[in-house]
Amino acid sequence: MMPNRSISRLIVIGLRLTGIWPGSSYEIVARCIWIFITMFVQILQYRYIIKQINCGNLTNVVDGLSTALPYSLLFFKLISFWINRRLFKSMLMKMSQDWINFSKFNINAMINKAKLAYRYSKLIMSVYAIAVFTYAGVFLEITRQNQDDELNITSRQLLIKMDFPFAYYESPLYEYVFVLQFFQLLSNASAIATLDALIITLIFHVGGQIEMLHEALENISVKNHKSLRNIVKPLINLHYQIILGSENIENLFSYIALMQLLCNTLIICCIGFLIVVVFNSHMNIEELINISLFYIAITLEAFIFSYAGEYLSNKSLSISTSAYGSSWYLLDPRDRRIMILLMIRSQRQLKITAGKFMDLSMEAFAKVSLIFVTNKCAFKDI
């Protein structure tokens, strides 16, 4: 497969390890491993939730649900990418060809956007890694305090809420389970960070093409109006590639964004309930920090999708302004009509939707975040 200058090495490694990257020699093996481990973990997680429902412990049910839903969401994302592997492969091939086909333009804008995507990818993965290590560190501190207060080892808690069919609290089995859960949590966080960084990279690639189109439109001047006929066709082709690229992103991430929105709404409600419980009970600062870190990670994922949709929408609308500000009126009547059609077509907003139901935007993110505040106030009243 052709090398892709838009996607960083970190994302490529993550896509290979999750069995998404096309042409990987261990693609099938990676998928089977993810399916087996994820299904095994999910069974244990939902066993715990069902057990707590039977016991009537609402706090533990909400706590277990808030950690099980992100795993289910990640599994849905992986399956969606595996099903749409042909679409994803064609997108990667097209991105590689873009660097060759548009060499006639000034591609500095695409280079700058690619560098920016690299930085954002590193930042996203660093935030998730820091969140996992901090979460594990705070959990160990809480466990140490509980062991100092209670000598009963059966009260030991797991890093991830699960219901094992054996007694896990005896040493050294408890330590082995903790280490396995930590690496499993780290691998899931890395997979989530990889997919989040991927959508940012794809959006910035389209944004680089739009910036390149802006610059080409600005270069239309009175001095070279006689040669404008040779410029119109590449501009129209570039605009078509921008539309095609955004539609491919929409087809790939639309239903993923819908599940993301639904799961994030449920998880944020669960986290709001847990925060209220912590405030109204023993007010353990460590547990509050742990829940807050989890809330930040979930909110960050929703923010990334909303930011990507907002960025694409705003960038697509700016094409019409740049085209109108160019010297399109110096063209021959035939080419002038083509430029007018470009302006009309660019007024149609490019966007990413959540299952074709709603547009991803910062407004949608604000509504989801408002759910957290609303439910927190409602739980306090209860």
Side-chain angles (χ1 to χ4, degrees):
M1 187 173 179
M2 296 179 61
N4 201 311
R5 296 171 60 182
S6 296
I7 301 180
S8 67
R9 187 179 299 274
L10 282 175
I11 298 179
V12 174
I13 293 174
L15 294 177
R16 287 183 181 275
L17 293 177
T18 51
I20 296 176
W21 188 260
S24 177
S25 57
Y26 45 86
E27 183 179 354
I28 303 299
V29 177
R31 291 177 185 174
C32 293
I33 292 175
W34 274 97
I35 291 174
F36 174 77
I37 294 178
T38 305
M39 291 186 65
F40 177 74
V41 171
Q42 286 276 273
I43 290 173
L44 297 180
Q45 285 180 309
Y46 285 105
R47 270 170 56 104
Y48 173 84
I49 295 172
I50 294 173
K51 182 177 180 180
Q52 297 304 317
I53 291 175
N54 295 332
C55 296
N57 195 329
L58 181 60
T59 303
N60 288 341
V61 171
V62 174
D63 191 13
L65 192 63
S66 64
T67 55
L69 285 176
Y71 281 67
S72 302
L73 178 60
L74 174 61
F75 194 39
F76 176 82
K77 289 180 180 180
L78 294 177
I79 293 176
S80 180
F81 269 92
W82 294 337
I83 293 175
N84 296 296
R85 58 187 181 277
R86 292 184 179 178
L87 173 61
F88 183 57
K89 183 178 180 179
S90 65
M91 291 174 63
L92 293 177
M93 295 296 294
K94 179 185 174 299
M95 291 171 66
S96 299
Q97 290 292 335
D98 287 344
W99 292 93
I100 301 173
N101 296 338
F102 299 136
S103 58
K104 59 178 69 69
F105 297 100
N106 186 1
I107 62 173
N108 288 331
M110 290 184 63
I111 294 175
N112 293 333
K113 292 298 181 182
K115 291 180 179 179
L116 187 61
Y118 290 174
R119 298 192 193 101
Y120 273 97
S121 300
K122 293 178 181 178
L123 177 62
I124 292 171
M125 293 186 178
S126 299
V127 168
Y128 275 96
I130 292 172
V132 170
F133 279 98
T134 307
Y135 181 84
V138 175
F139 176 84
L140 287 174
E141 179 64 21
I142 296 174
T143 304
R144 185 186 64 81
Q145 291 180 0
N146 291 338
Q147 287 179 352
D148 293 341
D149 298 336
E150 301 178 8
L151 298 177
N152 187 8
I153 62 174
T154 58
S155 62
R156 286 179 168 180
Q157 298 294 321
L158 292 171
L159 184 63
I160 305 172
K161 297 294 188 296
M162 296 180 184
D163 181 31
F164 286 97
F166 54 84
Y168 61 85
Y169 43 80
E170 295 284 350
S171 295
L173 183 59
Y174 176 79
E175 285 74 15
Y176 293 152
V177 172
F178 176 85
V179 172
L180 289 176
Q181 284 192 335
F182 172 76
F183 282 108
Q184 206 273 335
L185 182 63
L186 184 62
S187 63
N188 275 35
S190 301
I192 293 173
T194 298
L195 298 181
D196 290 347
L198 176 62
I199 187 173
I200 290 293
T201 300
L202 296 176
I203 290 294
F204 277 164
H205 179 80
V206 176
Q209 291 178 302
I210 294 175
E211 292 287 345
M212 194 165 56
L213 179 59
H214 287 172
E215 186 174 349
L217 290 171
E218 291 175 358
N219 290 334
I220 299 178
S221 61
V222 179
K223 296 180 180 180
N224 60 357
H225 69 277
K226 293 183 179 179
S227 60
L228 290 181
R229 185 177 300 177
N230 299 326
I231 300 177
V232 172
K233 186 176 181 180
L235 290 178
I236 299 301
N237 183 48
L238 176 56
H239 187 225
Y240 172 74
Q241 294 301 323
I242 291 171
I243 297 173
L244 183 62
S246 64
E247 289 177 349
N248 288 335
I249 296 174
E250 158 70 9
N251 293 331
L252 185 61
F253 283 97
S254 178
Y255 293 104
I256 291 178
L258 176 62
M259 294 301 298
Q260 181 80 51
L261 183 65
L262 295 176
C263 288
N264 281 359
T265 303
L266 292 175
I267 294 170
I268 288 174
C269 292
C270 293
I271 293 174
F273 174 80
L274 293 175
I275 290 178
V276 172
V277 170
V278 172
F279 269 112
N280 294 336
S281 57
H282 49 286
M283 191 59 184
N284 192 316
I285 300 299
E286 287 80 6
E287 289 187 10
L288 184 61
I289 294 174
N290 233 2
I291 296 172
S292 300
L293 287 172
F294 192 62
Y295 170 73
I296 291 172
I298 294 298
T299 307
L300 175 63
E301 195 171 8
F303 173 79
I304 290 172
F305 275 77
S306 301
Y307 173 78
E310 183 80 12
Y311 179 86
L312 180 61
S313 299
N314 293 337
K315 277 290 184 182
S316 64
L317 292 178
S318 65
I319 298 176
S320 177
T321 304
S322 295
Y324 182 76
S326 66
S327 300
W328 58 272
Y329 46 84
L330 299 176
L331 293 169
D332 292 337
R334 179 180 178 182
D335 295 331
R336 193 183 306 164
R337 286 194 295 269
I338 296 176
M339 287 294 293
I340 293 174
L341 290 176
L342 185 148
M343 285 184 275
I344 295 174
R345 178 60 184 86
S346 59
Q347 291 176 357
R348 181 182 176 184
Q349 194 176 35
L350 301 178
K351 55 190 177 182
I352 304 175
T353 64
K356 314 296 182 181
F357 290 104
M358 63 176 296
D359 299 343
L360 290 181
S361 62
M362 297 308 297
E363 181 182 358
F365 173 75
K367 290 180 180 178
V368 174
S369 301
L370 186 61
I371 293 175
F372 172 75
V373 179
T374 304
N375 283 276
K376 185 177 177 181
C377 297
F379 287 136
K380 281 186 176 180
D381 294 338
I382 295 175

